[in-house]
Amino acid sequence: MTSKLFRGVRMFLPEYNMALVRPSKPMEKTALFRVNLKMNKFEIKDYLQSIYGVPVESVNTKIVLGKTKVDRRSAKKKKRPDYKLAYVTLFEDFEFPDSMFPVTEDGQQQQQS
């Protein structure tokens, strides 16, 4: 049983990670993130505002079920893990960068200073 002091208090744990995902079609003022299944909308908004200083207007989430495939030889089912997508609406326009890691002609990554 929890004490009254800690009831309803959620601590921010940095073990949650968020990955910026390129959407299939461009969306204005919206960034798409792949987040942990345990994160809720309030934690996602707080995470972006406190760590990155990004002003967030709203957050919508969607749980995507992993694909199930059947192996033809052994007839066993294999399932990919489920994941959660977060559609984050920002106050400013957001454009996905063309290349986050630019590569030169000789195949080496450019050093950013």
Side-chain angles (χ1 to χ4, degrees):
M1 186 163 166
T2 60
S3 67
K4 290 183 180 180
L5 180 64
F6 294 109
R7 187 175 301 156
V9 176
R10 299 209 52 181
M11 302 268 310
F12 171 73
L13 300 173
E15 63 206 33
Y16 296 145
N17 52 5
M18 298 176 65
L20 183 63
V21 178
R22 182 182 300 271
S24 59
K25 49 187 166 180
M27 300 178 284
E28 292 183 11
K29 296 186 178 185
T30 304
L32 181 63
F33 292 94
R34 187 172 177 169
V35 298
N36 192 328
L37 281 169
K38 296 179 183 177
M39 290 182 80
N40 59 28
K41 295 178 183 183
F42 304 110
E43 291 174 340
I44 294 168
K45 185 174 182 177
D46 185 46
Y47 185 94
L48 290 172
Q49 288 179 342
S50 63
I51 294 191
Y52 296 109
V54 177
V56 175
E57 186 176 345
S58 65
V59 177
N60 294 322
T61 58
K62 175 173 86 171
I63 296 177
V64 179
L65 300 177
K67 293 182 179 179
T68 303
K69 295 189 176 187
V70 179
D71 187 13
R72 291 181 182 173
R73 284 190 270 163
S74 62
K76 291 184 181 178
K77 291 185 178 179
K78 295 180 182 179
K79 184 179 179 299
R80 292 184 181 168
D82 302 338
Y83 57 93
K84 183 183 274 191
L85 290 176
Y87 293 88
V88 179
T89 306
L90 307 171
F91 286 108
E92 303 163 355
D93 283 339
F94 175 78
E95 185 176 324
F96 198 91
D98 291 331
S99 177
M100 296 182 77
F101 304 104
V103 178
T104 60
E105 294 176 4
D106 59 340
Q108 298 291 327
Q109 289 186 358
Q110 292 178 353
Q111 296 292 329
Q112 295 180 0
S113 53

